[in-house]
Amino acid sequence: NAGVTQTPKFQVLKTGQSMTLQCAQDMNHNSMYWYRQDPGMGLRLIYYSASEGTTDKGEVPNGYNVSRLNKREFSLRLESAAPSQTSVYFCASSGFLPTSTDTQYFGPGTRLTVL
Amino acid sequence: SQQGEEDPQALSIQEGENATMNCSYKTSINNLQWYRQNSGRGLVHLILIRSNEREKHSGRLRVTLDTSKKSSSLLITASRAADTASYFCATDPSGYSTLTFGKGTMLLVSP
């Protein structure tokens, strides 16, 4: 059981480049999430998917797109990277609900630097 | 915007001492969770306390919830160097929305 896996672990982009962060979970969870973590800002929700086939915006969705490819996989795409998107990105999943009723399980994170 | 705010921002103690962290939130909640994050790693769930519970224990962890004061505290007893990490509280403001995390308390436990 790998839990939640993320690729890549590190990435450096130039302004304007695009990239996709990959996330997969093997716990048969319905809900999946993408967060970003900046120093002194805690975690902020970018997008989430409460179930396969649905996606919703979180607190900071601008500049990002997501795809819930199937129940296991949830990807985050930066179409035109900006320095303000330099951050650590975490993927998470939970069994049934996006609310505090359910525990979230986190991946190890992707450190992204945009020059 | 942050629903939960942890206090203090940073805490430094010696091994064997107790560590107490507080979380205040603004609106009514369904449940409240605490998570731990070791440096450079993802968050790990510690404990969930429901809005109708006042206290919960898990090993060396004790969590209290006071809904009238909109606050929660996390007590780690007999701290160890391995407890060095950041600790976050998380709530869902209305009970029907997604989790909102606070900015965290950074705990340093020195041998």
Side-chain angles (χ1 to χ4, degrees), chain A residues 2 10 18 29 33 37 40 54 73 88 107:
Chain A
F10 300 94
S18 62
H29 283 169
Y33 317 83
Q37 184 176 35
T54 68
E73 297 171 291
V88 182

Side-chain angles (χ1 to χ4, degrees), chain B residues 4-26:
Chain B
E5 292 287 342
E6 293 88 346
D7 172 63
Q9 289 186 342
L11 181 60
S12 183
I13 60 174
Q14 301 287 115
E15 262 192 332
E17 294 180 339
N18 294 342
T20 300
M21 288 156 268
N22 303 297
C23 170
S24 59
Y25 55 91
K26 296 172 185 162

Side-chain angles (χ1 to χ4, degrees), chain A residues 38-52:
Chain A
D38 303 295
M41 293 295 293
L43 268 75
R44 292 183 293 170
L45 183 65
I46 304 171
Y47 270 94
Y48 68 100
S49 170
S51 61
E52 187 178 353

Side-chain angles (χ1 to χ4, degrees), chain A residues 41-98:
Chain A
M41 293 295 293
L43 268 75
R44 292 183 293 170
L45 183 65
I46 304 171
Y47 270 94
Y48 68 100
S49 170
S51 61
E52 187 178 353
T54 68
T55 60
D56 285 284
K57 294 178 181 178
E59 183 185 352
V60 289
N62 291 346
Y64 305 95
N65 284 302
V66 290
S67 295
R68 182 75 183 265
L69 305 168
N70 47 55
K71 192 170 185 180
R72 287 188 67 246
E73 297 171 291
F74 189 38
S75 63
L76 178 72
R77 182 159 178 84
L78 286 71
E79 290 291 351
S80 179
S84 60
Q85 294 178 305
T86 293
S87 188
V88 182
Y89 291 84
F90 289 100
C91 178
S93 70
S94 65
F96 296 101
L97 299 170

Side-chain angles (χ1 to χ4, degrees), chain B residues 34-49:
Chain B
W34 284 92
Y35 285 79
R36 182 188 74 225
Q37 183 181 34
N38 290 90
S39 181
R41 310 289 289 271
L43 277 70
V44 174
H45 178 259
L46 293 176
I47 198 164
L48 181 154
I49 186 165

